[in-house]
Amino acid sequence: MPENVAVTTASGAPTREAMDAFVTIVRGGTLAVLTGAGMSTDSGIPDYRGEGAPARTPMTYSQFLESAEYRKRYWAGSHLGWRAFSAARPNGGHRALATLEEHGITNGVVTQNVDGLHVAAGSTKVVDLHGSMDRVRCLDCGQYFARSAVAESLEAANPWLTSVDAGALGPDGDATPQALHDFVVPTCTVCGGILKPDVVFFGEFVPVERFAEARALVRSADALLIAGSSLVVNSGIRLLEVALRGKSPVVIVNRGVTKGDTRATLKIDAGTTDTLEELTRRLVS
């Protein structure tokens, strides 16, 4: 596999030269994939940090734990986001990665997203680095619940939620309703404890065993693709460094600048859907 391939930029779709270089890196080996919010923008889920993304101040883990009022605000907004999240469908990029896995070209996907769209598209080897919005966990007894079941009970206790527009939806499924009224926060039906969507909040650490699974996937591949991530979150940079320490080529596909551009073997400034669909066309006969 080549080293020090020149960084390539394009507007919109990837250039032929960029795809030629990409195919050369991938062909004959296995590819580990790390995806970020830019992977799901074509499914209607906005990016946190991409070009043009609005400034946001998401709730921290400590705020959620320390204040019943914060939990009220979070659950109200998160429920509105969940309604939109649950309606999202995989895009062509998600389906392309599932096809590449089916043909043994990728060894799996590590995703920073919590939308579940890789699994919905047919990928079977997925590490949800930051968790998944479709699960809810009790912080007291550890019981897990389906998010859909919690959503039903939430709407039954707060019927006004069904008539509120989610407004500005964030990529982690959070939104801010205009009024909370007398909002009833869901509690664990087993022990009455605090419920929290099974996602990693700001200020919360990725579980050690989950990161170990992601690291093993990157180490066992011949190259790493980073798709739709600006690499602002520390977990993404750590996986980039795992690949570099193993002297594996790194390809970054992202619209706009990322924190890993100067360290990548190849940077393609283009959309993930267009690029991954083209890669699949070239590699899968």
Side-chain angles (χ1 to χ4, degrees):
M1 292 186 180
E3 295 182 358
N4 301 321
V5 177
V7 171
T8 304
T9 61
S11 57
T15 64
R16 178 180 298 178
E17 293 77 12
M19 290 307 306
D20 288 345
F22 195 179
V23 169
T24 300
I25 290 171
V26 174
R27 181 166 282 149
T30 55
L31 183 68
V33 183
L34 169 66
T35 66
M39 186 77 204
S40 295
T41 54
D42 287 343
S43 293
I45 300 176
D47 190 349
Y48 261 134
R49 303 176 182 87
E51 291 182 347
R56 300 180 67 253
T57 54
M59 188 173 299
T60 66
Y61 185 51
S62 61
Q63 287 173 329
F64 183 86
L65 288 181
E66 292 168 4
S67 169
E69 290 304 311
Y70 270 113
R71 288 194 293 275
K72 181 183 293 189
R73 194 190 93 191
Y74 177 82
W75 270 107
S78 180
H79 178 72
L80 299 179
W82 162 252
R83 279 172 25 194
F85 249 49
S86 60
R89 296 293 178 263
N91 60 53
H94 294 111
R95 293 190 291 271
L97 287 180
T99 299
L100 292 173
E101 179 193 310
E102 181 183 354
H103 287 80
I105 295 167
T106 68
N107 68 345
V109 175
V110 179
T111 184
Q112 297 172 312
N113 300 334
V114 298
D115 51 38
L117 292 179
H118 285 297
V119 173
S123 291
T124 61
K125 301 174 184 176
V126 180
V127 179
D128 291 316
L129 200 60
H130 295 159
S132 180
M133 283 289 286
D134 64 359
R135 299 187 299 267
V136 175
R137 183 171 65 93
C138 175
L139 298 181
D140 293 287
C141 72
Q143 178 68 40
Y144 282 88
F145 302 90
R147 180 64 181 265
S148 56
V150 175
E152 287 180 7
S153 63
L154 202 67
E155 289 190 350
N158 305 279
W160 60 271
L161 278 173
T162 61
S163 62
V164 177
D165 185 2
L169 174 64
D172 281 348
D174 57 340
T176 302
Q178 295 302 308
L180 293 179
H181 302 291
D182 296 320
F183 184 74
V184 178
V185 175
T187 57
C188 178
T189 55
V190 175
C191 73
I194 295 174
L195 292 182
K196 171 182 171 290
D198 190 29
V199 299
V200 176
F201 278 33
F202 280 78
E204 188 178 6
F205 294 110
V206 173
V208 173
E209 66 279 4
R210 196 179 299 164
F211 187 81
E213 186 179 359
R215 182 175 56 216
L217 190 147
V218 173
R219 282 178 172 170
S220 64
D222 297 301
L224 172 64
L225 164 64
I226 299 171
S229 175
S230 57
L231 293 174
V232 172
V233 177
N234 186 49
S235 57
I237 287 291
R238 289 172 65 192
L239 292 174
L240 168 65
E241 290 172 347
V242 168
L244 294 176
R245 285 196 297 269
K247 301 190 184 305
S248 297
V250 175
V251 178
I252 296 177
V253 178
N254 191 68
R255 283 195 173 100
V257 175
T258 84
K259 290 183 70 174
D261 287 354
T262 60
R263 305 170 72 184
T265 309
L266 173 68
K267 164 66 185 297
I268 302 177
D269 193 333
T272 56
T273 299
D274 289 340
T275 304
L276 292 172
E277 287 181 335
E278 177 63 19
L279 181 68
T280 303
R281 280 191 288 270
R282 291 191 179 211
L283 294 178
V284 178
S285 58

